[in-house]
Amino acid sequence: MNALDAVVADEQEVRLDKFDYDDAWALGCQMRQEAAQRQLPLVIGIVHGHQRAFHAALAGSYPESDHWLSRKMEAAKRYGRSSLGIVEFFTATGRDFDTQAHLPTETFAAAGGVVPIEVTGVGIVGFVGVSGLPHREDHTFVMEQLRAFAPSSQRVTMEQ
């Protein structure tokens, strides 16, 4: 499986039965607790619809991480997919996001760490992301946390 296929599988793996503001808070608190326990210098953000529903900065994080998270979040919202999926798509097609997406780099960034939140029968209802680690590790952390948050009955297997 190539890198793009692996990210597409991640993007399609977790579907929730519902996701509201209480769920955003619960997921964000879960992520913050895990990041603090592992002493990860993360900034965590969750958007529900068009509204920020959760934001936290942990010890060791930098203001620049807030800016990176915001830029990755904008790219994910613009393309309706994970920010790592954007990176892998541009790479697989031999293009460079910064020069060929025709989007302002001060607002948009293609770097892993933001993943769509999808509700079964509804579609994408928000995005969850982190910044502070190397971007592929940011993506991995978010996916681990989404898997832990969603009961196994809410995960899509490749056979489904």
Side-chain angles (χ1 to χ4, degrees):
M1 180 179 303
N2 67 36
L4 180 57
D5 291 340
V7 174
V8 169
D10 279 352
E11 290 173 342
Q12 296 174 351
E13 180 181 351
V14 178
R15 301 281 191 280
L16 303 175
D17 291 334
K18 69 175 193 67
F19 192 81
D20 59 20
Y21 290 97
D22 290 335
D23 295 318
W25 182 259
L27 175 59
C29 289
Q30 169 196 301
M31 293 174 72
R32 190 203 178 286
Q33 181 177 359
E34 181 65 22
Q37 183 177 352
R38 292 166 48 183
Q39 299 181 334
L40 300 176
L42 294 178
V43 171
I44 302 166
I46 300 175
V47 172
H48 184 277
H50 297 284
Q51 186 175 26
R52 182 187 299 181
F54 184 92
H55 186 86
L58 282 83
S61 64
Y62 294 95
E64 291 82 7
S65 295
D66 281 308
H67 186 62
W68 268 102
L69 178 58
S70 175
R71 292 170 57 221
K72 293 189 291 186
M73 191 75 71
E74 289 304 313
K77 291 187 316 193
R78 173 75 175 235
Y79 285 87
R81 69 176 315 168
S82 73
S83 55
L84 186 57
I86 297 164
V87 172
E88 297 302 351
F89 173 77
F90 271 80
T91 300
T93 57
R95 297 183 298 152
D96 176 68
F97 179 85
D98 288 342
T99 58
Q100 294 177 299
H102 305 291
L103 297 170
T105 56
E106 64 274 1
T107 306
F108 297 89
V114 175
V115 175
I117 299 168
E118 191 163 345
V119 172
T120 302
V122 177
I124 296 172
V125 298
F127 293 85
V128 55
V130 302
S131 188
L133 303 174
H135 78 107
R136 291 180 194 286
E137 292 177 33
D138 281 346
H139 177 85
T140 298
F141 180 82
V142 172
M143 286 306 304
E144 289 170 357
Q145 295 304 302
L146 277 173
R147 288 180 189 111
F149 184 74
S152 60
S153 64
Q154 293 180 317
R155 289 193 220 139
V156 177
T157 63
M158 295 308 283
E159 298 85 44
Q160 292 177 321

